[in-house]
C-alpha cells in the first residue's frame, strides 16, 4: 500500500489493519452535513467487526440495489447506459430518497454502452444492442475465444496472447493487433515497432480507441462523482476491488463451457499449466483493482465451481487449488476476498471452510444458511441469501419475515451480513426498506 515503507515486512493481519484504518480515516473525503463522519465510521466499523468475527452493534445490510435506481427514477437500463448524466441523477435520487443505509457503492456496474459500440465489442449484448431496448440486464456471450491448441501460447506469454490473439477476437476495433509484431523482439532499434504501429489500420485503431477512451473518461467522472457524494454523506462502499477464480477466467473469457469441459478429459494438464501461469497475474490484478479504494473488500463472482457444473472430485482437482492460491494471495496483501458463490455451494462447505480465521467473507446465493453458519461461518463472515424472488414479488411482510429467519439463524456470535441472493432490477422501494427495518428490529446484538 502506498506510503508505508515497510509494507512487505508486515504480516497479513498487520497489513489489513493498515487498510482498515484507512477505511475509517477516509483520506481526501470532505463530509457533508451533521454527523456524516460519525455515521460513516460507525457503518464501516460494523463491517470491520464482522470480518474480525466480532459481534457488532447490529447486523448490517448489503442492499441488493443493482439497477433498481434507474427504474426508480423512471428510466430503464438502456437509458442510463447511454446517458451518464441520467445515470448520475438516478443513483443520487435513490440515495437521497432512501436515506439511512449501511453502504452504497454507486453505479459502477452500469457499463458505458457507447464505448462498447465504438470498439465493436462482441462478448456481451446489452439493451438496444443484441437485446430489446427494455431488457433489464446485459448478457454475456460465451464463445471459444481461445482454441484448444492455443494453451501453449497463453502459458508462454500471457500478455502477448491477450494483446495479439484474444483482443482482436473480442472486439472489432482491435483486429489490427492480430497482425502486429511480437512484443519482445530481441533488437534494440525502434524502427520495426514504429513501422508496425503506424500502418493505416493501426492508426485507425488508435483513433477508435481515443473515441472510446473519451466515453470511459466521461463515464468515470460520473461514477466517481456518485461514489464521492455517497462517501461524503456517510455511506461507505462495501466493495473496493474485483477478481475471480482462475478456472472461471479460463472458462468464461477464453475456452467457454463446452471447450473447457472437453479439455478436462482431453488435455487436463494444459488446464493446470494455464491456471498456474495466470494465478499470480490474477492476484496482482485483484490488488491493483482495490488499491485506490477505501474498502479493502474484493468481490469475486464464482461461476463454474458450483454443484451443477462439477463433481466434488472435479472441484478438488480443477477448481479449488488455484482458487485457494488466489484467496491466500489476496489475504496476504491485507485485503478481504468476498467470493460470491453463484448457484449451489452446499456440497462445497466442508471443503471451503479451511481458510485462515477472520480473513474473508463468503456471499452465498443458494445455500442452507444454518449449515453455512455451522461450517464456514465458524471462522469467517458469511452473507446472503434472501431469495431475490421474495424481494421482487413478495410483500414487505414477506421480506421482513425472511430477513428475521436469516438473522436468527446466522447472526448469533457475529459474522453475518444480511443480503439477498442476487441484485435487484425492477422491484419496489418498500421491500428494500423492509430489509433495513428487519436489521434494525431483529439484528441488534443481545
Amino acid at each position: 500500500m502506498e506510503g508505508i515503507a515497510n509494507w512487505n515486512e508486515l504480516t497479513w493481519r498487520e497489513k489489513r489493519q493498515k487498510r482498515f484504518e484507512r477505511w475509517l480515516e477516509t483520506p481526501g473525503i470532505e463530509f457533508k452535513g451533521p454527523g456524516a463522519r460519525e455515521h460513516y465510521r460507525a457503518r464501516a466499523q460494523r463491517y470491520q467487526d464482522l470480518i474480525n468475527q466480532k459481534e457488532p452493534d447490529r447486523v448490517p445490510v448489503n442492499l441488493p440495489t443493482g439497477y433498481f435506481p434507474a427504474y426508480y427514477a423512471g428510466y430503464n437500463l438502456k437509458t442510463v447506459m447511454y446517458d451518464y448524466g441520467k445515470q448520475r441523477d438516478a443513483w443520487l435520487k435513490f440515495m437521497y430518497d432512501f436515506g439511512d443505509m449501511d453502504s452504497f457503492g454507486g453505479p459502477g456496474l452500469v457499463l458505458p454502452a457507447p464505448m462498447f459500440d465504438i470498439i465493436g465489442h462482441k462478448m456481451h449484448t446489452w439493451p438496444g444492442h443484441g437485446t430489446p431496448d427494455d431488457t433489464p440486464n446485459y448478457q454475456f456471450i460465451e464463445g471459444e475465444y481461445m482454441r484448444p491448441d492455443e494453451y501453449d501460447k497463453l502459458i508462454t506469454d500471457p500478455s502477448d496472447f491477450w494483446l495479439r490473439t484474444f483482443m482482436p477476437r473480442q472486439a472489432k476495433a482491435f483486429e489490427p493487433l492480430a497482425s502486429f509484431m511480437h512484443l519482445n523482439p530481441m533488437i534494440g532499434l525502434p524502427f520495426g515497432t514504429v513501422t508496425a504501429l503506424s500502418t493505416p489500420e493501426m492508426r485507425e485503431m488508435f483513433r477508435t480507441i481515443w473515441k472510446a477512451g473519451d466515453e470511459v473518461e466521461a463515464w468515470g467522472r460520473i461514477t466517481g462523482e456518485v461514489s464521492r457524494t455517497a462517501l461524503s454523506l456517510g455511506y461507505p462502499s462495501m466493495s473496493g476491488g474485483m477478481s475471480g477464480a482462475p478456472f472461471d477466467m479460463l472458462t468464461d473469457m477464453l475456452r467457454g463451457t463446452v471447450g473447457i469441459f472437453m479439455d478436462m478429459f482431453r488435455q487436463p494438464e494444459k488446464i493446470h499449466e494455464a491456471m498456474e501461469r495466470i494465478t499470480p497475474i490474477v492476484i496482482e490484478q485483484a490488488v491493483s483493482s482495490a488499491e485506490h479504494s477505501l474498502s479493502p473488500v474484493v468481490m469475486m463472482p464464482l461461476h463454474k465451481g458450483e454443484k451443477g457444473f462439477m463433481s466434488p472430485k472435479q472441484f478438488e482437482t480443477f477448481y479449488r487449488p488455484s482458487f485457494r492460491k488466489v484467496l491466500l494471495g489476496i489475504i496476504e496483501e491485507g485485503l478481504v476476498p468476498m467470493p460470491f458463490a453463484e448457484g449451489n455451494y452446499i456440497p462445497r462447505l466442508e471443503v471451503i471452510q479451511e481458510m485462515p480465521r477472520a480473513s474473508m467473507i463468503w456471499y452465498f446465493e443458494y445455500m442452507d444458511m444454518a449449515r453455512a453458519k455451522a461450517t464456514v461461518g465458524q471462522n469467517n463472515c458469511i452473507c446472503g441469501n434472501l431469495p431475490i424472488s421474495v424481494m421482487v414479488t413478495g410483500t414487505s411482510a414477506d421480506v421482513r419475515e425472511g430477513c428475521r429467519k436469516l438473522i436468527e439463524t446466522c447472526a448469533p456470535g457475529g459474522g453475518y451480513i444480511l443480503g439477498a441472493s442476487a441484485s435487484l432490477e425492477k422491484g419496489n422501494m418498500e421491500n428494500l426498506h423492509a430489509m433495513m427495518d428487519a436489521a434494525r428490529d431483529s439484528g441488534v446484538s443481545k
Side-chain angles (χ1 to χ4, degrees):
M1 194 166 78
E2 294 181 5
I4 301 179
N6 64 334
W7 180 256
N8 291 331
E9 301 173 10
L10 302 179
T11 67
W12 71 265
R13 292 187 184 278
E14 291 171 334
K15 291 176 182 178
R16 194 179 69 184
Q17 183 57 36
K18 296 292 185 183
R19 293 189 187 275
F20 275 4
E21 291 169 0
R22 184 171 180 269
W23 199 5
L24 290 177
E25 292 167 0
T26 60
I29 301 299
E30 296 184 9
F31 288 94
K32 302 175 183 177
R37 178 184 292 276
E38 291 72 20
H39 288 311
Y40 174 93
R41 290 182 65 88
R43 291 162 179 151
Q45 186 65 57
R46 199 170 285 141
Y47 287 117
Q48 293 186 17
D49 287 344
L50 288 164
I51 294 166
N52 283 323
Q53 289 297 96
K54 298 178 181 178
E55 198 162 15
D57 58 340
R58 69 162 173 82
V59 169
V61 182
N62 184 34
L63 285 173
T65 49
Y67 304 133
F68 176 77
Y71 295 92
Y72 175 72
Y75 305 129
N76 60 18
L77 180 59
K78 179 183 179 181
T79 299
V80 296
M81 287 185 75
Y82 280 94
D83 190 322
Y84 313 138
K86 290 180 179 176
Q87 180 186 131
R88 174 198 58 216
D89 295 345
W91 261 253
L92 290 178
K93 174 178 173 57
F94 171 83
M95 181 178 65
Y96 287 124
D97 288 358
F98 190 91
D100 183 28
M101 294 178 282
D102 289 316
S103 62
F104 189 65
L109 293 180
V110 181
L111 303 179
M115 181 269 290
F116 288 150
D117 288 329
I118 290 169
I119 68 171
H121 182 64
K122 302 174 183 177
M123 296 185 71
H124 291 85
T125 63
W126 55 94
H129 188 106
T131 60
D133 288 357
D134 61 352
T135 304
N137 210 324
Y138 50 88
Q139 299 293 325
F140 180 72
I141 303 176
E142 190 176 87
E144 289 194 11
Y145 293 92
M146 182 178 82
R147 295 192 295 267
D149 61 349
E150 292 180 327
Y151 273 96
D152 286 340
K153 291 177 66 175
L154 172 66
I155 294 164
T156 301
D157 193 338
S159 294
D160 183 75
F161 175 84
W162 203 259
L163 184 73
R164 298 198 300 150
T165 302
F166 173 73
M167 289 181 65
R169 292 174 182 172
Q170 66 93 14
K172 182 175 178 57
F174 300 131
E175 289 177 357
L177 291 172
S179 57
F180 186 58
M181 62 188 296
H182 194 280
L183 290 176
N184 299 315
M186 293 295 107
I187 186 169
L189 296 175
F191 301 115
T193 303
V194 172
T195 300
L197 288 172
S198 59
T199 64
E201 294 79 11
M202 293 295 287
R203 295 185 188 198
E204 180 61 28
M205 182 189 76
F206 288 132
R207 283 191 286 266
T208 302
I209 293 173
W210 189 287
K211 288 176 58 180
D214 287 342
E215 293 294 334
V216 173
E217 183 179 17
W219 169 77
R221 284 196 298 268
I222 292 300
T223 58
E225 178 184 343
V226 175
S227 296
R228 287 190 298 273
T229 301
L231 290 169
S232 72
L233 294 175
Y235 299 119
S237 174
M238 176 65 179
S239 179
M242 185 72 73
S243 188
F247 187 92
D248 287 337
M249 295 180 176
L250 192 62
T251 304
D252 294 346
M253 300 296 152
L254 301 179
R255 290 293 292 128
T257 302
V258 174
I260 200 73
F261 284 174
M262 297 292 283
D263 295 342
M264 288 166 68
F265 293 95
R266 293 177 174 175
Q267 47 180 348
E269 72 286 347
K270 290 301 179 185
I271 296 178
H272 291 299
E273 286 183 55
M275 290 192 297
E276 186 70 20
R277 184 69 176 87
I278 68 174
T279 290
I281 299 173
V282 174
I283 296 171
E284 181 181 355
Q285 290 177 339
V287 175
S288 177
S289 72
E291 203 62 36
H292 300 292
S293 172
L294 294 175
S295 170
V297 177
V298 178
M299 183 67 171
M300 303 177 73
L302 307 183
H303 300 142
K304 296 300 190 291
E306 69 103 28
K307 176 184 177 182
F309 283 101
M310 285 186 170
S311 69
K313 181 178 180 181
Q314 288 171 329
F315 182 80
E316 287 277 28
T317 302
F318 289 99
Y319 200 92
R320 180 171 174 262
S322 59
F323 175 49
R324 183 176 180 275
K325 288 181 181 179
V326 170
L327 290 176
L328 292 173
I330 293 173
I331 292 168
E332 180 59 33
E333 287 300 314
L335 296 167
V336 182
M338 184 170 69
F340 177 37
E342 299 184 27
N344 186 344
Y345 257 70
I346 296 175
R348 316 293 188 220
L349 285 173
E350 281 70 24
V351 175
I352 64 175
Q353 68 177 328
E354 183 267 312
M355 289 299 291
R357 178 174 173 78
S359 64
M360 59 183 297
I361 304 168
W362 270 100
Y363 195 150
F364 295 111
E365 177 188 7
Y366 178 88
M367 178 53 63
D368 177 343
M369 293 299 280
R371 189 169 162 187
K373 180 69 174 179
T375 52
V376 174
Q378 294 304 297
N379 279 326
N380 282 295
C381 184
I382 58 176
C383 180
N385 68 332
L386 185 72
I388 199 66
S389 59
V390 175
M391 291 296 299
V392 174
T393 65
T395 65
S396 296
D398 295 332
V399 172
R400 285 193 293 271
E401 178 62 13
C403 292
R404 181 191 65 79
K405 291 179 179 178
L406 283 166
I407 290 169
E408 288 181 355
T409 300
C410 302
Y416 176 62
I417 300 170
L418 179 60
S421 63
S423 295
L424 199 62
E425 294 161 359
K426 299 179 181 179
N428 63 74
M429 185 75 109
E430 290 75 18
N431 283 358
L432 289 170
H433 277 295
M435 286 194 77
M436 287 300 306
D437 292 342
R440 296 190 191 98
D441 295 343
S442 304
V444 178
S445 299
K446 303 298 184 185

